[in-house]
Amino acid sequence: MADRLKQVTSHFTNSCPNGLLNGEVVIVTGAAQGIGRSCALLFAKEGAKVVVSDLDEAKAQKVVEEIKSAGGDAIAVGGDVGADDFPEKILKATIDKYGKLNHIVNNAGFTYDKMLHTMPDEAFDVIMKIHVRAPFRLVRAAAPLFRVKGGSKENRSIVNVSSIAGLHGNVGQANYSAAKAAVTGMTKTIAKEWGGFGVRANTIAFGFVQTRLTAAKEKGEAIIINGKPVALGIPGGAGGNGGKPVPGIPLGRPASTDEAANGVLFLISPLASYVSGHTLEVTGGSGI
């Protein structure tokens, strides 16, 4: 067994001596913090050239500096993913700098929680705009780069971030749950329409990951939407349950952002070369 393990490890090391994503170009939205930041850092470590995008360009630039200080290559592109000119802006910056695009990771998003019977239209509409319309428009704008006649031998894919809320619903998140469910249907459609061009499309559904969206709302984290602050987090905080096992999660704990990023790396890497139209649940077993 030990000898076989050495053979397998050697095979991947020899096949990808400079990383699983060596020379590939990846756009990651919402990459200034949380899961997006962990994705950007991990992809760069695996040899990718990373386009770090975020609403807060200053924070995105700090991630770029981290990547460059570690010997990687990245650029920052600030902007609201929901803005009409965002797709053209980020794609132009990507092609001007790197000349190609291999992967898009649609990760940007936030929560705007209200009970269904008290949820205003604006809370529903903005979540749908950022989590569904924005990824749709970015992927659509990138079509000429992916729908290459005759296909391409390069590794190319789309990963759209969903949530366990999109699979099972969640109290206080009718808007978020609806949006994340829609992401799955959209991704499967991309997989069917673009598979003939050698492009894979997958969804990743996260459970309880330790980010600002699951931290204590009392900390005061907020995002400005349409000029108004929207509080982030959960009243009292999801925390780690005081070190005790977290109910409903077989593994008994939340995921770190690095663990979440590992799942995305798998989906965009050559290791998932025959995986398309799939929803990978990174939930510690929640919902089974």
Side-chain angles (χ1 to χ4, degrees):
M1 176 63 78
D3 289 340
R4 178 55 182 158
L5 182 58
K6 287 181 180 179
Q7 289 176 3
V8 172
T9 303
S10 176
H11 169 74
F12 285 115
T13 301
N14 293 332
S15 300
C16 309
N18 298 311
L20 287 169
L21 304 175
N22 184 42
E24 297 180 4
V25 179
V26 189
I27 287 175
V28 184
T29 64
Q33 59 261 311
I35 295 170
R37 174 180 173 275
S38 287
C39 283
L41 295 174
L42 178 59
F43 299 165
K45 183 179 179 181
E46 289 295 333
K49 303 174 191 301
V50 187
V51 179
V52 181
S53 175
D54 200 88
L55 185 62
D56 189 329
E57 187 168 4
K59 283 187 177 181
Q61 186 58 47
K62 289 182 180 179
V63 176
V64 168
E65 291 168 5
E66 284 187 74
I67 290 172
K68 288 185 174 180
S69 67
D73 191 353
I75 60 171
V77 179
D80 177 358
V81 295
D84 287 345
D85 64 347
F86 180 80
E88 289 71 21
K89 176 183 178 180
I90 193 168
L91 292 173
K92 183 179 186 303
T94 301
I95 299 305
D96 285 351
K97 176 65 175 180
Y98 298 120
K100 67 173 186 175
L101 175 61
N102 294 85
H103 311 281
I104 296 175
V105 177
N106 282 306
N107 168 74
F110 61 95
T111 52
Y112 194 161
D113 297 351
K114 294 282 185 181
M115 295 298 284
L116 188 149
H117 64 286
T118 63
M119 182 175 290
D121 287 352
E122 65 177 15
F124 189 89
D125 292 344
V126 73
I127 290 297
M128 295 298 288
K129 178 181 181 181
I130 298 303
H131 291 266
V132 185
R133 183 177 182 269
F136 157 71
R137 294 186 72 250
L138 178 54
V139 172
R140 182 182 64 183
L145 302 174
F146 284 96
R147 292 173 60 88
V148 180
K149 189 174 182 179
S152 171
K153 292 183 179 180
E154 285 207 46
N155 177 34
R156 297 174 302 148
S157 74
I158 308 292
V159 171
N160 293 319
V161 173
S162 184
S163 165
I164 193 171
L167 304 178
H168 304 293
N170 197 29
V171 173
Q173 294 189 324
N175 51 359
Y176 187 73
S177 298
K180 289 309 188 183
V183 163
T184 301
M186 179 170 66
T187 305
K188 289 178 181 292
T189 300
I190 297 168
K192 289 183 176 182
E193 291 189 3
W194 292 14
F197 297 94
V199 179
R200 299 177 296 105
N202 293 289
T203 306
I204 187 161
F206 293 121
F208 178 7
V209 182
Q210 290 181 312
T211 70
R212 59 182 183 163
L213 299 186
T214 58
K217 184 170 279 190
E218 291 79 5
K219 286 185 175 181
E221 283 273 4
I223 187 171
I224 303 300
I225 300 298
N226 297 327
K228 298 195 311 184
V230 175
L232 302 177
I234 300 171
N241 206 31
K244 299 177 183 178
V246 179
I249 303 178
L251 287 184
R253 62 176 180 81
S256 68
T257 57
D258 289 344
E259 287 177 310
N262 287 338
V264 185
L265 172 63
F266 166 70
L267 289 176
I268 71 171
S269 80
L271 298 177
S273 62
Y274 201 63
V275 178
S276 193
H278 179 64
T279 298
L280 177 63
E281 296 183 37
V282 180
T283 66
S286 297
I288 60 174

